[in-house]
Amino acid sequence: MKIIQQKLFNKTQAGILQVKQQIDQLTTDSVMKIALRIGLVAMGLSLIILAIFWGKIAPEIPLWYSRPYGENQLTASWVLWLIPLVGLIINVATIRLSGAVIEEDKFLAQMMTIVSSLITIMALVTMIKVISLVV
C-alpha cells in the first residue's frame, strides 16, 4: 500500500476559484452534494442566528461546560463568533481534502464530507443552546 501525502493547498496561491472547482467536482455525487448543502446551510444559520441575537447576548456567556460550575464556565461573548469560523475552516479543509482524494477513494471523500456537515450541525446546536441560556 502506497502512502500519499495530501496538502490542503498544493499551490501557494490557492484561491476561491480552486475551491469552487472542487465543490463542482464533489457535487457530481449526490451524497456529497447533500452533505455539502447541509453543512453550508448550518453554517449560514449559525451566522444569521448569532447576528440576530448579538445585541441581546450578555457580555459573559457559559460555554465551557466541562469546567466546574460557576465562573469557570464563563467566557467573553465574542467567542461565539468562533463557532461559525471553526465550521467554515472545517468545511473548507474537507472540501480541499475530499477533492484531492475523490478519484482514488470515493467512499473516504463521502465520509469526510458527511462528518464535516455533522460537526457543523453540532456547532449550530451548541450555539443555539448557549444563546437560549443567556437570552
Side-chain angles (χ1 to χ4, degrees), residues 19 23 35-51 80-93 95 116-125 127-128:
V19 175
I23 290 173
L36 283 172
R37 282 185 181 175
I38 290 171
L40 293 175
V41 165
M43 189 176 48
L45 278 174
S46 65
L47 285 171
I48 290 170
I49 290 170
L50 189 56
L80 277 179
W81 288 101
L82 294 178
I83 294 174
L85 178 67
V86 168
L88 175 67
I89 291 170
I90 289 172
N91 279 321
V92 169
I95 289 168
S116 90
S117 67
L118 289 175
I119 290 171
T120 309
I121 290 170
M122 287 188 297
L124 171 66
V125 170
M127 195 180 64
I128 290 172

Side-chain angles (χ1 to χ4, degrees), residues 9-10 27 33 41 53-54 75:
F9 298 100
N10 293 330
T27 55
K33 186 175 186 176
V41 165
F53 290 103
W54 183 249
T75 188

Side-chain angles (χ1 to χ4, degrees), residues 57-80 130 133-134:
I57 296 176
E60 289 188 331
I61 56 169
L63 187 63
W64 313 116
Y65 295 111
S66 62
R67 294 184 180 172
Y69 185 77
E71 286 187 28
N72 293 330
Q73 292 183 348
L74 298 178
T75 188
S77 61
W78 65 267
V79 175
L80 277 179
V130 169
L133 285 173
V134 294

